[in-house]
Amino acid sequence: MQRDALLDAARTLLSEGGTEALTFPALAERTGLARSSVYEYFRSRAAVVEELCAVDFPVWAAEVEAAMERADTDEAKIEAYVRRQLALVGDRRHRAVVAISAGELDAGAREKIRAAHGGLIAMIVKALAGLGHAQPRLAAMLLQGVVDAAVRRIELGAAEEPEDITEAAVAMVLRGVRG
C-alpha cells in the first residue's frame, strides 16, 4: 500500500517537475511518510525509476497493443500504434516515463527503459513486414523515432495543437511505411 502511494507520488512529481522534482524529501512530503521510511522501500531514485518502468510501461504498452488489435489492416495497425501513443502523452504515467527518459539514470535503469521500448517496437514489426518491408525492424525503429519526436513536440507545448502534431505524424508515418 505504501509502495503504491510512493509510486503515485513519484508519477506526480515527475510529471509536474521532471526528474529534478523526484527527491526522497519530496516523496516523503507527498505521502506523509518520514524520509527514512522512503529508504525502506527504495534505495535510490534509480530504484524508484526502475519500479515505475516495471509497473507503468506494461500498462502503457498494453493500451497501444489493444488499439492495434482493433485495427483490421496492417496500415490501420500502424496508424493505431502512432495515434494511441500520442493520445497517451497527457497521461501521468506517460509523462513520468518521458521525464524519466530525459533524466540522469544509472545503467540498470537505462537498460530497463531500453528493453521496454524494444517491446513496444516489436509490436509494429509484424505489421511492417505485412506491408512488404525488407527490413521491418529498422523501419519500426525509424517509425518510433517519428512518434518520439511528436511526443517531444507535444510535451514541449509547441505552437501547434497536439491534434495537428498527431495528424502530421500519422501522415508522415503512413506515407513512409507504404514503401
Side-chain angles (χ1 to χ4, degrees):
M1 183 71 78
Q2 303 233 349
R3 185 180 210 83
D4 291 340
L6 286 165
L7 290 175
D8 194 50
R11 283 180 199 98
T12 300
L13 290 166
L14 286 164
S15 67
E16 290 175 356
T19 53
E20 302 82 34
L22 181 60
T23 65
F24 279 25
L27 283 171
E29 183 180 324
R30 290 273 177 147
T31 57
L33 295 172
R35 185 174 170 186
S36 59
S37 295
V38 177
Y39 285 99
E40 291 178 29
Y41 293 94
F42 300 104
R43 68 189 186 294
S44 65
R45 283 178 4 136
V48 176
V49 166
E50 288 180 39
E51 184 78 13
L52 281 173
C53 286
V55 171
D56 290 348
F57 207 93
V59 173
W60 178 25
E63 290 183 34
V64 174
E65 189 171 34
M68 290 176 65
E69 286 174 0
R70 290 189 295 271
D72 296 334
T73 65
D74 289 327
E75 190 172 298
K77 288 180 187 311
I78 291 166
E79 181 174 352
Y81 176 87
V82 173
R83 286 189 185 282
R84 190 66 199 133
Q85 284 190 69
L86 296 179
L88 288 169
V89 170
D91 185 283
R92 274 186 335 131
R93 289 168 299 155
H94 179 267
R95 289 176 61 190
V97 170
V98 170
I100 288 166
S101 300
E104 296 174 19
L105 304 174
D106 65 20
R110 285 201 185 283
E111 185 51 40
K112 288 193 181 203
I113 290 171
R114 256 188 241 104
H117 273 280
L120 196 59
I121 289 169
M123 285 183 208
I124 202 69
V125 171
K126 184 177 177 185
L128 289 163
L131 290 176
H133 278 274
Q135 295 184 38
R137 177 117 178 106
L138 174 59
M141 290 188 298
L142 295 173
L143 185 155
Q144 186 61 44
V146 171
V147 173
D148 292 343
V151 165
R152 282 189 302 278
R153 194 85 184 139
I154 292 169
E155 284 286 329
L156 287 171
E160 305 88 6
E161 292 296 320
E163 297 81 19
D164 294 336
I165 294 169
T166 298
E167 293 307 318
V170 167
M172 181 177 289
V173 162
L174 291 179
R175 280 190 219 116
V177 297
R178 286 187 183 126

